[in-house]
Every structure is written in structure tokens, then in C-alpha cells.
Amino acid sequence: MTEHLLTISIFMPFIGALVMLFIPRKREQSFRQIALLVSALQFALVSITILFSQFREEKYTWFMIKGASENIFSAGYHIQLDGLSIPLFWLTSFIMLIAVLASWKINFQVKSYYALMMVLHTAVSGSFAASDFLLFYVFFEFMLIPMYFLIGIWGGKRREYAAIKFFIYTLAGSLLILIAMILLYVSVGETGTGTQIIHSFDLESLNGLKGLIPGSILDPDAGYEFWGLSAPLWVLIFLLTGFAIKIPVVPLHTWLPDAHVEAPTPVSVVLAALLLKTGTYGMIRFACLILPGEFIQINQIVAGLGVLSIVYGALNAMASKDLKRMIAYSSVSHMGFVILGIASGTEMAIQGAIFQMVSHGLISAMLFLIAGVLQERTGERTISNYSGFFTKMPLYSSFMMIGFFAGMGIPGFASFIGEILILLGSFNANIPGWMALTATLGILFSAIYFAWTIQRMLFGTFHSKVEGRFEDLNRSETALFVTLIFLILGLGIIPGPLLDIISGFSENWPSYFSLIPNR
Amino acid sequence: MIFPFIPLLFLLPVVLPLISRKLIPKASITAFGIASAASLTHAILSGFNLIVSETVWFDAGNNHFTILLISDQTSVMLLSFTAIIALAVAIYSKSYFKEEEEKEQVRFFITLCFFMFFMTTLILSGNLFLSFFCWELIGLCSYLLIGFYRSKEKSGAAATKALLYNKIGDIGFIVALMGIWYSAGTFNILELKISGLNADENLQLLISIGLFVAIAAKSAQFPLHNWLPDAMAGPSPASALIHSATMVTAGIFLIARTGFIFSPQMLFFTGAIGLITALLGGWNAIFQNRIKQVLAWSTVSQLGLMLMAACWGNSDAALAHLISHGFFKAGLFLVAGYLLKSIATETENELEAITKSGSKDKLISIAMFIFGLSLTGFPLTASFLSKEAIAISLSFYARIALYLINGLTVIYTFRLLWILRPYHVGSKLNPLTGFSFPILLLGFFTGWWIWSINPIHSTNHFGIISAASFPLTLSAIGLLIVSTTIAAWLMKSNHIGTKDQSLYTDSFYQKAIISPFQRINGLIARTDELIIDKALHFFGYLQISFAHLTTAIDLFIVDGMVKMFAKIIGSIGGMIRKISNGNVQNYLWWALSAILILVIWQS
């Protein structure tokens, strides 16, 4: 039993969803309770697993197919937690718990809503644990379906447009990843008996193309080239682009603001806090580590795109009139820092990048919950409609202020540690210095849009252009925010424990690219 | 080794709201008092020797980020200075906020406690990373206090302005940190001092520029000085502590700590900026009709003076002036806060309103006179000695600039003192109140005795050992007399019209930076919609059109062929159907014809 803790915690929500199918749709409260129970149990289980369990890896054969000649395709069920996935796996459990609690007020088609939420839970957890590319791909793709319906059914006015945009964008990305996978499949394998080749997507043979079949399409010595770029480089570009859509990296980001603006609050929370992270996670684990030699050739371009995301996202956030759209663009900007950190190739930068993923997960969840309160109270999120919230809803205003401070990357909040480590690490890397210097603008810009929003919405005498019940936060909402603030501040003031966990992964990072480890 | 815990003393009252809100003001005063006593004790016990306390904070990328606190002459003196001013301000605030709601009082005192925690940690910090951590957070506390009156639009705008200007400085600090990390791999100031930067010229220039921007923003130096006069929207106690005595002087402290990192030309440039700011601030202070604006511009000017002294002369002299300035300027702000309480409504011509309302505390009026004299650097005051120290450390030309700055100082100070002259304002001597005690406490520290026994010349203070400089003192006094005459002449016209307070820099920023930026920003914001999404939609339409095309092909060609075949077969069928109509005669006829054709064809 204990050795299967990981599998259990991945599939627990899925089983919860199955149970929900057998309950009549009229008993709405029971779906909420089941979802809460399952995600709370799962959260506890994951916390226990991470803290105490030694079983961080499970490896079985999923299925085998006999192909042409004697070759065998062996699909593995290989899940594993390391310094990269532990924080994200834990974050998934936590954010899902928060999302379930935040969904309490949804009362339209409750059964399907929670069932989809639980399926999403399993898919996200699975993709953070998978150590086999095929398995990852299955989980990764499986997130699409619940997400599509969650936006398309429970969303705002333009939900159908947003849902289809999200779906097509991400599907295009998945297609690129699939092409890359096929190319990887034909070029990587282990020799079995005789001339037999066992193909598999296990990272053990994929990482650094360890199991490269001589003469195959990805063999650098074979010299396959398309339009002047070598075949492995193409595979890397496909993978990076596929994941870049999910992150999203400018200019592949336009699905994000629309999806966020239309999605219901808890879905926005999950989208920003977790789904974006699957993109960066995939980029680290399945693009950089599989083709490190190629990655280091184009890492400057990737870093440049990261900087572009930082600045461009921030500028757009500044111009946004809708609170939620502003937060969505700030996500683009903050995820740009992660890209910069990944592309730098230094230990400190990758550590900062993974830290930033966790901190952004918590902070974006908080920010979207803040926007959600406004949405719930008035149904309108245009910033210029409101002023003087401090006098009317002091508690809400304080939380909004704290959330915005966290978004600005003020020291003491988790975002500061992530961003400063990325900046220090990337200035000290083999990417041009101006990139890290330009990235600092992102911090300045984020201060501008967040502080300006505080000034417009919170200061002054209370005024609202729209009707609504402007009640301050109730007890359960307060509890939710306080928990998030506690974690954000905790990570910002005592970052040591999380950084130690991450260092289990990050300490080898420069060596993957045969870089000399520097500060 | 008590000094690492002194900052924590300031943080203690913060946990109190969990128990009782009422206790906060008293608890803060007690804690600040204990902290002042502790820091003074430490100052005496340590004897200005270097003591280092280091704890690992976290590890990142094979490096320890440490909480390194150092106790040396600079930090010990500044620590005591900050704690004493904070104590005075805390006592004063208790009376000042008496009429406010309890909630608001708690908010003020908690912010104050946080501010003091970060400020004292910054003073003690010997690690630039830790310094930056506190550096930004004191800015945040300042933001919270400027925006203390939340229902006022104006305070929101002023707070935002202060935060953004400070954020520019923070970016400068981050850039400097990046450069230092790159070149030296350590943030430890003591190590940096020994090992040096190992940076090439460009990198050193970058680091210096970054630090300069940080200093300019925090200490309100040209061209980033505009936020400080606006910051007066905050409550007067906050202005006294943060926007005159402690936070804004952090820049001077930083240059005293990191001046050795600066490249020589950048050090000269920074000093020049200090000079410009000092003149600009002094000039502007003459034309203000709001008491706190006069003081704010005066602070800008004095900060410029300190920066100039720190860059061109001796940083210890600058720190000495920082301390004497902090005491009397905080005192002036506390007096101003008291006087402003006496006028109910806000008016443009505050000074006149105060004169008319006639506040009734003579003690405070006298205190104001003494603080004012300190500001001018009058003999027998502490600032006379610190200005002397600055003068000694400067070169000849810079000394002339110093006299010029001081001339301006005398003019605006005497204008202020003239308008609010004590016999005009106060009428009777009131017993000590919550207002007057802290003012007197600060008044005590404006005397010469904090620097030396000799009232008009200090031989050794703050590490500056100077030869007798009697001519210098004499010239300073002479100048004082000349400027006082000018001031008296100017004061005949009681009211001097106000000018654009920021000397047109605000409107310049608006026109040259903010508006174009907003325009560009608006354009960029629309690229998503107009370019990326349009392109996507175009592809979408293209694909749909293509789909329509294939549908047409399906319909007309593929289906058409199928249908054509069907039609052909159908028509053949129809023909055959006509033949096989069930009529026997007909069949016979066809059969006969067929046979006939066969026979004919065979033969």
C-alpha cells in the first residue's frame, strides 16, 4: 500500500469523479462535499508522502505493442517525484483544495462541474509526476477536455469564443509535441535480444538522447537537416513551441487573457496557478533535459522571448481596463521570468525559476480570488467603475493591497525571492547582460500597474458606477485569503526549506548543458 | 552581543493586536524606549568597535545568503539616533492620534513598528542583499504612511507617486546587486571592502549608476526628488520620522557604506547631483506657503548637502550632519504637526492661517525657534558643528557652494520663523503635554553637546580630526549675518507667490515621459487584438474558406461524379424500364427484332 501512495494520490480525485456519477444530480450539496473531502484527503496524503515517505518512484509496464519486424514498443507507467516535481505536485493539491472551496457558490450543473474539476485534478497531478513522455502526454492532453467544458459552460458572456480559442491554441501546441514525440520514438530505443529494438518514452532513455539509435533521424552524425537546421533542433523547437503555448510565451499568449476573463473564478485560479506551470514544467523536463545540447544553442533566443513576455505582458497589463485581464497579463509577465530563469542555464536561475513557479501559483491564485470577489459582488470588473473601497470594504481592500504587493515582488513576499534569484542568476549566465537588465523593467512596470490600480480602486471616497452588494468578506473567504497570505509570506521570509527541496534538482542543472557551474 | 536583537524589539508590539488593540500605542512607546536604552547602552559598551553577527538565512545555488549584522561606529550611532527619534515620534503620535478611531491608531503604530524594524535592520546590515530587502520595505512602509488618510484622493496619488519613484530606485539597487554578484560573488560589505569588485570599467560604471539611482530615489535627489514634497500628505509624525529624519537619509547611509564601490567619475557626478538638489531645494523652500512644504523642500536641500559632502568630502561628516539634521528636522515637523492641528480647514496659505488662529503653547513656539536656528547652522547648535565638519572636508570651491546652500537655508528658515514668530503665536507657557515632551526631547539633542564639549569647534567627532579652523568658523558666522539681513529684507513682503513646486520637472515628466509612454502602451495593448488575434482570425477564416472550397468540391465534383454515374445508370434503367413494361406483345416484338438484327449481322 505505502509504495503506491503516489499512484493513489494521483488517481484519488478521478475515483471521486466516478463516485459522483452514481449520485443523482439533484443532491447538489453532496458533490461539493465529496469534492472537498477528496481534495482535502488528497492534500493530506500528498503532504504526508512528501514529508515522510521514501517511495518517490513507481515504475511498471503499461502496455507493449509488437511492431514491424521484431521491434517492441513498450509504454511505461513511470512516475517519480524529484526536486522539480515535489513543489509543483504539492502546489497542485493545495490549489485544487482552494479551488474546490472557492467553487462553493457555483450552483449551475453542480454535478458535472465538480466531476470535471476532479478529472482536471488527476490530469494535472499526473502530468507533474509522470516520468515517461507518453504518460505525461496523456495526462497533459487530458487537461484540455475538462478545461474546455469548464470555460465553455460555466464561463462569462464570450465563453464559447474563449473556450474554443483555448482549445485550438493548446491543441496546436500538442500537435507539435506529438510530432516531436514521433521523431523521438523512431530514434530512441534500447537493444533487446539480437537486432530487436525496444522503443520507449521513458525519460531514462530519452534524457540527453541517451538511447539514441545510431543512424536514426536524430543522430547528429547522420546529418539530417531541414531548412538549414538539424533534425534534433527541429524536435527541440517543436517541443519548446508546444510548451510555450501553454505557458504562454509572447506572441503565443492571446488565448490566456480571453480564457481568464471568461472563466469562472475557481477555473481561473486553476488555470493560472497550475495549467501554466505544466507548460514550464514540460519545458524543463521534456524539452531542455531531452535535448540539452541543442537547447544551449538557442537558449539566448528563448531568454529573449522570456524578456519579451516580461515587458510585453506588463505593458499590456498596464493598459487593461478589466481587473481580471490585468491580472492575466501580469501572469504572462511573471511567467516570462520563469522562462528567463530556465534559459539562463545557471543553478541559481533555475532554482529561482522553480521557486517563481510555486510563488506565482500561490500569488496568481490569490489575485484571481480577489478579482472573483468583485465579480461575485457586482458582476463587473472594470477598474474605473470603482473607487474608495478602503472605506466600504476594508478587509477586502487590505487583502487586495497585500495581493498586489505580492504581485509587485516586494521583499518578504515569495515572488521577490523567485525574481531576484532569476535576475542574479541570469545576469551571471551565458546570455547577454542586457536581457537580465531589461527584465528588471518588468518589476518596475508591475509596480506601476498594481500601484495605480490600488490608487484608483482603493483610495478616495467610495463610489461605484454599478449596482452591487458591497459587503466585506465573510469568514470563509477571509480564511481562504489568510491561508494564502500566510504561505506567500512564509515562503518569502523563510525560503530555505523550499529552496533546499528544489536544489535536489537544480544542483545538476548546469552539468546537463556541460556548463561550468558558476555562482 | 545584544545588538542583533535590537531591531526585534521594535517588532514586538506588532503581535499585540491578537491580545488587545488598546495596548498598542503604549506598548510601542515602551518597546521604543527599551530599544533606545538598549542601543545607547550598546553604543557605550561596544566603544564603536567592529562586532559582526552572522546567521545563514537561506541557501541558493551553492551560496549562503546570510543575515549579517555589523556593529561599528556608523551603525551604532545611527541606531541610537533612529531609536531616539522613533521614541519621540511614538510619544507624540499617541497624543496626535487621540481623536482618531482606535482602528486607525493601531494601523499607524503597527506600520511604525514595521518601519522601525526594517530601518534598524538596514542600519545594522552588512549584507547588501539584506540591505536591499529592508531598503524596499522601508519604502513600502513610507507608502503606507503617506497613504494613511485613505479616504483622500490626494494621499492616494501622493503615496503612489512615492512608491513608483522609490521603485525606480529599487530597480537601480537590483541592477547594482546583479553587477556586484556577477563581479564579486558576495554581498558581504566587509569582504567586498577587502577583496574589491574585480569588475571592468563598464561593469563598475553600471553598478555605480544603479546605486546612484537607488540613492537619488530614496533620498529625493534631482531628478527623482518630486515625490518628497508630495509625501507631506501623510500625517505629520510620519513626516517627522520617515520623510525627514530616517528613511530619506538611507541614501546617505548607503553611500557611506558603499562609496568605495563607486567609480571616481560617478562619485563626482553624484556629488554634483547633491549640489544641484541642495540649491534647487533651498530655492524652492523660499516660495512655499505651507509649513510642511517649506520643511520638505528644506529636507530635499539638506539631503543634497549631505550627499555632496559624502561624495566630495568625508562620509563621516555627512553622517554627522545626517544626525544633527534628523533631530532638529523631526522636531520641526512635530511642531508643524502641532500648529496644523490648530487650524481646522485646509488652506493654500497655511502660514497665514496658523498666525491668525494663534496656537497657545509658548514652549512649542520657543522650541520651533531653536530648531529653526539649528537648521541655519547657528553657533551653539549641533548642526553648526556638523556643517563645520563638512566644510573642513570639502575643497575650496565646494565650500563656496556649501555657503551658498546655507545662505538659502538661512533665508527660508528666517522667513518661516518671522511669520510664525514666537511672541506672535504663543501666549502662555503650558505644562508638559504629550506634544511638548517629545519636542523637548528632540530639542535636547540639537545642542552642540552631542558632538563635543567646545561649543563652536569640535576637534574630534565622528572620526574627523581637524586642525583649528577658526577662519572657517568666522566666515560661516559672517555669512550667517549677511543671509539673515537678506532674509529680513525679503520678509518685509510677508507673502511670496508660490511657483511650480517641482521647478517644472513634474510637468516635464508628464509631457516627455508619462504621456508618450501611455500612448505607446495603448498601442502595444492593441497589438494583441489588432495583430496577433487578427492574424489568428484570418487563419481561421482562411481555413473555413478552404473548408467551404472543399465542400464545394465535394458537392460538385466528387458528389457530382457519383451523381452523374447514378444519373447515367438511372437513365439506362429508365430506358430499360420502358422496354420491360409487362406487355407480352412488346416482348415478342423486341425478341423478334433482336433475332432479326442477329441474323442480319451474322450474314
Side-chain angles (χ1 to χ4, degrees), chain A residues 304-351:
Chain A
L305 285 172
V307 174
L308 180 68
S309 295
I310 292 171
V311 175
Y312 187 87
L315 286 173
N316 269 295
M318 242 183 269
S320 302
K321 295 184 178 72
D322 181 310
L323 182 63
K324 222 172 170 186
R325 183 172 280 267
M326 183 191 88
I327 298 169
Y329 273 118
S330 86
S331 274
V332 176
S333 178
H334 291 149
M335 291 307 281
F337 276 101
V338 181
I339 307 290
L340 180 63
I342 295 171
S344 305
T346 56
E347 186 184 346
M348 194 183 255
I350 189 71
Q351 211 171 2

Side-chain angles (χ1 to χ4, degrees), chain A residues 272-318:
Chain A
L274 302 176
L275 262 67
L276 308 190
K277 307 299 171 295
T278 58
T280 37
Y281 174 83
M283 195 180 254
I284 296 173
R285 173 99 64 210
F286 297 99
C288 300
L289 290 189
I290 291 180
L291 295 148
E294 281 69 28
F295 182 72
I296 211 66
Q297 291 170 22
I298 59 165
N299 73 329
Q300 300 197 351
I301 299 169
V302 178
L305 285 172
V307 174
L308 180 68
S309 295
I310 292 171
V311 175
Y312 187 87
L315 286 173
N316 269 295
M318 242 183 269

Side-chain angles (χ1 to χ4, degrees), chain B residues 183-201:
Chain B
S183 52
T186 175
F187 290 133
N188 185 329
I189 292 177
L190 303 171
E191 276 176 32
L192 276 174
K193 235 175 203 162
I194 295 164
S195 65
L197 265 186
N198 306 323
D200 60 17
E201 259 177 38

Side-chain angles (χ1 to χ4, degrees), chain A residues 347-348 351 421 503 506 518-519, chain B residues 59-63 65 181:
Chain A
E347 186 184 346
M348 194 183 255
Q351 211 171 2
L421 288 181
S503 73
S506 64
N518 45 5
R519 290 185 281 271
Chain B
D59 294 340
N62 275 333
N63 300 281
F65 284 76
W181 187 248

Side-chain angles (χ1 to χ4, degrees), chain A residues 161 165 169 251 253-254 257-258 312 315-316 318-319 329 347-348 351 387 390-391 394 398 401 405 408-413 416-417 420-421 423-425 427-429 436-437 440-441 443-445 447-448 451-452 454-455 458-461 492-496 499-500 518-519, chain B residues 57-63 65 103 129 132-134 136-137 140 143-144 147-153 155-161 163-164 167-168 171 174-175 177-179 181-187 203 206 517-518 520-522 524-529 532-533 536-537:
Chain A
Y161 171 75
K165 199 173 179 183
Y169 248 114
H253 65 287
T254 57
D258 280 316
Y312 187 87
L315 286 173
N316 269 295
M318 242 183 269
Y329 273 118
E347 186 184 346
M348 194 183 255
Q351 211 171 2
S387 72
F390 264 134
T391 49
S398 306
M401 204 167 187
F405 286 159
M408 283 182 214
I410 300 268
F413 295 96
F416 169 74
I417 301 288
I420 198 85
L421 288 181
L423 287 174
L424 291 177
F427 192 63
N428 194 14
L437 290 178
T440 58
L441 279 183
I443 297 179
L444 178 65
F445 290 167
I448 293 177
W452 195 35
I454 292 178
Q455 187 197 333
L458 305 186
F459 281 102
T461 44
I493 297 167
I494 315 167
L499 285 172
D500 288 347
N518 45 5
R519 290 185 281 271
Chain B
W57 183 7
F58 61 88
D59 294 340
N62 275 333
N63 300 281
F65 284 76
K103 212 169 52 179
F129 186 81
F132 176 65
F133 199 87
C134 301
E136 201 168 347
L137 283 168
L140 186 75
Y143 166 82
L144 292 174
F148 183 75
Y149 299 115
R150 288 164 161 181
S151 53
K152 287 185 192 160
E153 305 266 348
S155 65
T160 308
K161 193 173 176 183
L163 185 75
L164 295 184
K167 203 73 194 184
I168 294 173
I171 299 301
I174 292 179
V175 169
L177 285 184
M178 283 154 65
W181 187 248
Y182 180 83
S183 52
T186 175
F187 290 133
L203 194 60
L206 182 77
F517 184 71
Q518 278 172 339
I520 294 167
N521 195 1
I524 284 179
R526 286 170 66 200
T527 50
D528 263 19
E529 211 181 305
I532 301 180
D533 271 5
L536 280 178
H537 291 168

Side-chain angles (χ1 to χ4, degrees), chain A residues 92-159:
Chain A
T92 308
S93 305
F94 178 72
I95 292 293
M96 277 323 240
L97 183 59
I98 293 275
V100 165
L101 284 169
S103 311
W104 220 252
K105 280 179 182 151
I106 282 178
N107 43 22
F108 174 68
Q109 300 201 5
V110 181
K111 180 176 178 172
S112 4
Y113 178 86
Y114 278 103
L116 287 170
M117 235 13 187
M118 290 294 104
V119 172
L120 189 61
H121 192 342
T122 290
V124 179
S125 304
S127 40
F128 284 139
S131 209
D132 183 287
F133 205 169
L134 186 70
L135 189 66
F136 170 80
Y137 192 74
V138 169
F139 282 125
F140 189 74
E141 285 304 284
F142 216 83
M143 289 188 293
L144 261 183
I145 299 153
M147 210 58 201
Y148 173 73
F149 287 115
L150 284 169
I151 297 173
I153 297 177
W154 288 270
K157 275 180 203 141
R158 290 170 73 225
R159 55 176 180 265

